[in-house]
Amino acid sequence: MMGLILEALTAMGHNVRWMSWNLFLGLVPLALSFWLFRKPRSRWLLWGTCILLGATFLPSTRHVLSYIKHIVQDVGTTYFLGAIAITLGLMAVDIWVLRQRGLRSLRWWGGFFWFIAFLPNAPYVLTDIIHLIEQIKQEHTVWTVTLALIPQYLVFMLLGFGAYVLSVMNLGYYLKQQGWGRFILATEITIHALSALGIYLGRFIRFNTWDILTNPDALVNTVMNELIGKRPVVVMAATFVVIAVLYWVLKQVTLGISQRFYSSQSQSEAIGDSAASSEPIDLRF
């Protein structure tokens, strides 16, 4: 029995680093959506996201630092320092000049850019099912695959794609608040299509989000020249359908859970207020 447990733990341990890294990238747009579009009413959701971000970042700290070093080397120190200076300048302009009500600042638009850039990383976790197939082929026992690996992958993919669903729903809520509710469906379809494109670039051509900064020429050339073939179009179309269907299903589930939770909370508050108002008033001094 101990041998089976050790085998399961070893198999799951091999996935921790890359799963934590991919999940961290998928949680970044969710955190950005809280800042840009809608702060969650649930503190559990807010703090849970922050805790997950920290927990998934820590195992990949060396990974992150190496990528930062890679970015600095690719774009050059001058470019990197210039980007920092421009960012700080935009933040200063936002704070001191653009403090008008209803005006979206340059910092907001910068955050929105990175929200869109990182968003495909969330549904990207669905494609990591190929790693499960590879692990199954490595002659693991049925017990290890069924009771260890499959639950691990299910939780991983549910968290990653759940972050995508909440991120896009927060964007839809923001559009509704701005009076643009009629554009929500078109926006969701556009985001699904962009995510399908991003997943293809990441899974099959091996581009990363930071290639927007470090390798923009190759990225643009690939998009313009290599994505018009029959195979890329078929793959991206299938990916779009999968994302759209799963998004719709999880959106309905999320809305149902949210409505039930907040309605029960409102009923509890109403009962409490009613009980407080019905208490006899003590006139004794």
Side-chain angles (χ1 to χ4, degrees):
M1 186 65 180
M2 285 299 299
L4 293 176
I5 294 175
L6 289 176
E7 180 187 347
L9 292 176
T10 301
M12 294 174 66
H14 289 158
N15 301 325
V16 169
R17 194 175 72 85
W18 69 262
M19 277 188 175
S20 61
W21 172 243
N22 287 358
L23 189 57
F24 170 77
L25 294 177
L27 289 171
V28 168
L30 178 59
L32 287 172
S33 74
F34 290 156
W35 169 53
L36 295 169
F37 311 130
R38 183 186 188 185
K39 185 177 180 180
R41 294 170 60 184
S42 172
R43 293 184 178 180
W44 288 102
L45 179 58
L46 180 61
W47 284 106
T49 302
C50 294
I51 291 172
L52 275 177
L53 270 173
T56 54
F57 176 79
L58 288 177
S60 303
T61 303
R62 181 181 297 179
H63 197 52
V64 174
L65 293 177
S66 66
Y67 271 116
I68 292 176
K69 181 180 179 181
H70 172 69
I71 291 173
V72 173
Q73 290 175 343
D74 280 0
V75 302
T77 305
T78 303
Y79 183 94
F80 186 72
L81 294 176
I84 293 177
I86 291 173
T87 303
L88 293 176
L90 292 178
M91 292 175 63
V93 171
D94 176 33
I95 294 172
W96 296 105
V97 179
L98 301 179
R99 282 301 192 185
Q100 301 177 27
R101 185 178 180 181
L103 181 65
R104 282 175 291 276
S105 67
L106 296 177
R107 185 177 60 178
W108 187 94
W109 282 110
F112 182 78
F113 169 79
W114 288 113
F115 168 79
I116 295 298
F118 274 91
L119 190 58
N121 290 294
Y124 181 88
V125 301
L126 297 177
T127 67
D128 287 321
I129 192 69
I130 62 173
H131 298 302
L132 175 61
I133 297 174
E134 292 174 357
Q135 284 189 290
I136 293 175
K137 293 178 180 178
Q138 293 174 1
E139 299 182 358
H140 288 298
T141 63
V142 175
W143 187 90
T144 299
V145 172
T146 305
L147 300 181
L149 291 179
I150 291 179
Q152 183 187 32
Y153 275 85
L154 286 177
V155 171
F156 165 67
M157 290 188 290
L158 182 61
L159 288 174
F161 197 78
Y164 175 78
V165 172
L166 290 176
S167 299
V168 180
M169 287 179 65
N170 286 340
L171 175 57
Y173 174 84
Y174 179 80
L175 292 175
K176 186 176 181 180
Q177 292 298 107
Q178 298 298 313
W180 300 334
R182 63 186 180 277
F183 298 115
I184 291 178
L185 179 59
T187 301
E188 291 177 342
I189 292 175
T190 302
I191 287 178
H192 297 336
L194 290 175
S195 295
L197 170 62
I199 289 173
Y200 185 85
L201 290 173
R203 173 56 67 188
F204 295 98
I205 308 183
R206 308 310 295 172
F207 278 112
N208 296 301
T209 302
W210 43 86
D211 285 315
I212 297 173
L213 288 178
T214 62
N215 203 11
D217 293 340
L219 183 60
V220 172
N221 289 332
T222 299
V223 172
M224 297 298 294
N225 299 324
E226 298 185 23
L227 298 183
I228 57 176
K230 183 177 179 180
R231 179 176 179 272
V233 171
V234 171
V235 172
M236 287 187 288
T239 304
F240 171 83
V241 172
V242 171
I243 292 175
V245 171
L246 290 179
Y247 171 79
W248 185 85
V249 172
L250 280 183
K251 180 180 179 180
Q252 303 310 310
V253 172
T254 303
L255 289 174
I257 294 174
S258 176
Q259 184 178 4
R260 185 164 185 175
F261 173 78
Y262 288 119
S263 62
S264 63
Q265 192 177 44
S266 300
Q267 290 177 1
S268 300
E269 293 176 355
I271 293 173
D273 294 339
S274 175
S277 61
S278 63
E279 290 181 359
I281 300 176
D282 190 356
L283 300 178
R284 292 176 296 175
F285 293 95

